[in-house]
Amino acid sequence: MLVAAFAATSLHAARPEPPFTIDPYPSTYQPLPRTDTLIVDVTILDGAGGRMDQGEILLRDGRIAAVGRGLSRDNVTVVQGEGRWVTPGIIDVHSHNGTYVLPLTSLDRKASDVSETSDPNVADTWIEHAVNPQDPAFAVALRSGVTTIQVLPGSTPLFAGRSVIVKPMPATNVRAMKFPGAVQGLKMSCGENAKSYFGDKDEAPNSRQGEIAIIREAFLRAQEYRDEWREYSRGKSKKPPQRDLKLDTLAAVLDGAIPVHMHCYRASDMTVMMGIAQEFGFKIAAFHHATEAYKIAAQLKQAGTCVAVWSDWWGFKMELQDSIRENAAMADAAGVCTMMHSDSPVVGQRLQIEAAKAAGAGRRGGLNLPPERVIAWVTSTPARLLRLGDRIGTIAAGFNADLVVWSGDPFSIYTKAERVFIDGAQVYDSAAPARSPESDFGLGRPEMGGRQ
């Protein structure tokens, strides 16, 4: 009996776990050479609501070792801040860098890899397989203080595929840019895009109700698929289920292993999608764009769903007709986790200015939005959304040393990023651009900011 029990236990232990989140393409990223550094005499916005004037930050072995005043200067390189401002590295949670590249020619527009549009459900696709690391937008974002980027698929399909989180560092392949240990996300969409694109081809969906029917059917199949894998992993069935890459992704969503990033504008659409999430037992991590979030702030807060928004995009499609500049500030004031996103390599160079514009609208509406609160919209809040809130987005001991030294108040249009650190390595210095990393594409191209 003991032998039989041991054999059964061994057999069960040998059963593989469900393959929903296995990454066969792990990160090969390596930080650049770094030295222990002490940044002194700076105004620190720590990303977590704190501010320290005339502060100091010690970077050691790629991490923040201490924050305070009067820190030891032994065996460190001292950077004199002279009253400049320091924030955590900026985080862009919605980018298409590397797939919708600049400069964008008419040919690039037609041949873009931003979306696989053969089917409304392409949950089996991974955007990292399309990212071109030579896109100069990565280097420009880095010079603008952006240290972490989530590249998402486009929003034409209902299930658009898996995202990838990268560091905007020069590389010849995307694995060398991947943020080690970061989870993928699933890009989904609702509203005009899918029904318009597929409807124009006389294919389904051609209506909002058709979209929801397709989404519900897909999650029903994913529930069955997940249960089959659970039965196999527990030894209750002998034969493993037939692998289905689309269902791998959706089953991981149901298990909470892959967060959902949902393209959605209208309050009515967001409410419907929160109902779908409740029906199938998962949570939508964030609605992206969410131009009517201010209308349903209470429901968003109750669901624990964040919003990633622009400051003032309006009017380029019917879904934006009720967009208002106060959207981000009103959502934040109601307790909704709120952040800015780019969706554009141009906006991706100025995310802190997006936050400044949104905060300005909120202040004119009577809301109290000091800089130490607003900086969270582009640092600690997006870090938590990406499930990296214990590693980046905050200036505190133990966090990755991803920092930006700004020439002045980061929310001023006249301010520029002077120094950028990733994992403690200085990856950009405006005073010595020739020593900053550069992609092969940018070399010799002054219009791209490249070195001669």
Side-chain angles (χ1 to χ4, degrees):
M1 292 291 291
L2 181 61
V3 172
F6 178 80
T9 302
S10 298
L11 177 64
H12 176 67
R15 290 287 178 91
E17 289 297 313
F20 307 152
T21 55
I22 293 173
D23 185 359
Y25 319 106
S27 170
T28 60
Y29 164 79
Q30 294 292 327
L32 293 180
R34 57 205 179 196
T35 59
D36 294 344
T37 302
L38 180 65
I39 304 171
V40 302
D41 189 19
V42 288
T43 297
I44 301 168
L45 300 180
D46 66 10
R51 172 174 176 162
M52 178 183 292
D53 295 324
Q54 296 180 317
E56 301 179 359
I57 308 169
L58 176 62
L59 315 183
R60 193 181 299 281
D61 297 326
R63 295 187 179 274
I64 298 170
V67 181
R69 298 186 182 92
L71 302 179
S72 173
R73 303 193 178 197
D74 294 341
N75 302 315
V76 296
T77 298
V78 177
V79 174
Q80 294 289 345
E82 299 178 336
R84 290 169 173 80
W85 295 53
V86 177
T87 70
I90 303 299
I91 301 170
D92 188 352
V93 297
H94 187 131
S95 170
H96 299 296
N97 288 0
T99 59
Y100 204 62
V101 301
L102 288 180
L104 186 68
T105 66
S106 59
L107 178 61
D108 292 322
R109 184 181 296 275
K110 292 178 181 178
S112 164
D113 287 318
V114 71
S115 292
E116 169 61 42
T117 57
S118 58
D119 191 276
N121 183 353
V122 290
D124 51 337
T125 61
W126 294 19
I127 196 64
E128 66 188 79
H129 298 149
V131 171
N132 178 6
Q134 299 298 301
D135 184 353
F138 287 119
V140 176
L142 179 66
R143 295 196 296 268
S144 304
V146 178
T147 55
T148 303
I149 295 173
Q150 178 174 232
V151 181
L152 287 163
S155 54
T156 299
L158 296 171
F159 299 96
R162 300 195 192 191
S163 68
V164 65
I165 299 172
V166 302
K167 298 170 185 276
M169 298 293 292
T172 56
N173 65 88
V174 72
R175 290 178 64 181
M177 302 172 69
K178 286 177 70 171
F179 196 116
V183 302
Q184 296 169 305
L186 170 64
K187 174 69 175 299
M188 292 182 61
S189 72
C190 73
E192 288 182 20
N193 283 18
K195 78 184 187 75
S196 299
Y197 178 83
F198 292 100
D200 286 348
K201 298 168 64 177
D202 292 325
E203 299 175 4
N206 58 36
S207 65
R208 278 178 163 82
Q209 61 268 38
E211 292 178 349
I212 299 307
I214 291 172
I215 290 171
R216 293 180 72 214
E217 178 64 28
F219 277 120
L220 280 172
R221 293 182 59 214
Q223 284 180 328
E224 296 169 355
Y225 182 73
R226 178 188 61 177
D227 292 344
E228 290 171 1
W229 270 105
R230 285 179 174 176
E231 293 291 296
Y232 175 69
S233 296
R234 294 166 182 169
K236 294 183 178 180
S237 63
K238 295 181 180 180
K239 186 178 180 180
Q242 180 70 36
R243 284 289 300 280
D244 185 309
L245 297 180
K246 291 181 181 180
L247 294 179
D248 275 356
T249 298
L250 300 188
V253 167
L254 295 177
D255 276 354
I258 289 182
V260 171
H261 299 274
M262 173 90 57
H263 161 112
C264 226
Y265 290 82
R266 290 188 349 192
S268 58
D269 289 334
M270 287 186 278
T271 303
V272 168
M273 293 312 306
M274 284 189 283
I276 298 298
Q278 185 175 21
E279 177 184 4
F280 290 97
F282 68 92
K283 188 176 84 170
I284 297 169
F287 285 116
H288 292 236
H289 314 327
T291 51
E292 294 185 13
Y294 65 95
K295 295 183 179 182
I296 54 167
Q299 294 98 309
L300 290 165
K301 181 181 179 181
Q302 183 178 11
T305 294
C306 300
V307 294
V309 301
W310 300 295
S311 63
D312 55 5
W313 285 28
W314 176 88
F316 61 87
K317 59 197 302 186
M318 291 300 296
E319 292 173 316
L320 280 92
Q321 295 307 305
D322 271 358
S323 175
I324 63 172
R325 289 189 172 97
E326 297 84 0
N327 186 38
M330 290 175 66
D332 178 77
V336 179
C337 57
T338 302
M339 67 206 79
M340 314 309 295
H341 67 3
S342 71
D343 198 29
S344 153
V346 177
V347 176
Q349 303 169 31
R350 302 172 177 86
L351 275 175
Q352 81 282 3
I353 300 302
E354 282 291 286
K357 291 193 294 181
R363 292 189 191 101
R364 289 190 294 273
L367 297 174
N368 181 28
L369 291 165
E372 51 266 35
R373 182 183 184 109
V374 177
I375 195 64
W377 294 354
V378 290
T379 57
S380 59
T381 304
R384 290 194 298 272
L385 175 68
L386 299 180
R387 300 185 180 179
L388 295 169
D390 60 343
R391 299 171 64 182
I392 59 174
T394 300
I395 297 177
F399 280 73
N400 291 12
D402 291 4
L403 305 172
V404 187
V405 180
W406 303 92
S407 61
D409 180 344
F411 299 115
S412 167
I413 194 65
Y414 300 106
T415 293
K416 295 183 178 181
E418 288 192 342
R419 296 175 187 258
V420 181
F421 295 83
I422 295 182
D423 293 314
Q426 183 171 279
V427 295
Y428 175 68
D429 181 355
S430 63
R435 293 200 295 270
S436 300
E438 181 64 77
S439 74
D440 293 342
F441 186 85
L443 289 172
R445 296 174 182 258
E447 72 277 10
M448 298 294 170
R451 302 190 296 275
Q452 298 294 301

